[in-house]
Amino acid sequence: MDNKLGWGVIGTGRIAGLQVRDLLESGLNPVAVGSRTAQTAEKFAAEHGILRAHPSYGELVNDPEVDIVYVATPHPLHMENALAAIEAGK
């Protein structure tokens, strides 16, 4: 497995935090988080040691450093968020 791949996380809730912890414990590379607001993204990034915080999900999926996206939004949004990631080549 290539640990150099950059992970992006859509969402900043409790599950997103657990996923980032698990990524880090597995030696993987979370590089960005996207949220609906800049403040929430920046707070989550600071708490979890993530370098880039995006104020929208669209900016996250279009970040060239993000190779893989973990969708951590409420279930009704998963399809929309996953399709956006797929359309962006993730």
Side-chain angles (χ1 to χ4, degrees):
M1 182 181 313
D2 183 356
N3 292 347
K4 300 294 182 191
L5 294 173
W7 283 77
V9 179
I10 294 178
T12 57
R14 185 179 67 82
I15 298 299
L18 293 173
Q19 178 64 17
V20 169
R21 183 197 67 198
D22 290 347
L23 290 170
L24 291 168
E25 286 177 0
S26 297
L28 299 174
N29 189 28
V31 297
V33 61
S35 184
R36 292 175 293 166
T37 69
Q39 289 176 324
T40 305
E42 290 166 6
K43 180 181 178 200
F44 185 92
E47 289 172 354
H48 297 281
I50 296 174
L51 295 179
R52 285 190 306 291
H54 295 289
S56 73
Y57 304 148
E59 286 188 33
L60 175 95
V61 299
N62 288 304
D63 183 331
E65 298 298 316
V66 172
D67 300 300
I68 302 167
V69 173
Y70 180 80
V71 176
T73 55
H75 292 144
L77 299 175
H78 281 192
M79 187 169 98
E80 175 185 334
N81 298 150
L83 289 174
I86 291 166
E87 289 174 12
K90 311 303 180 190

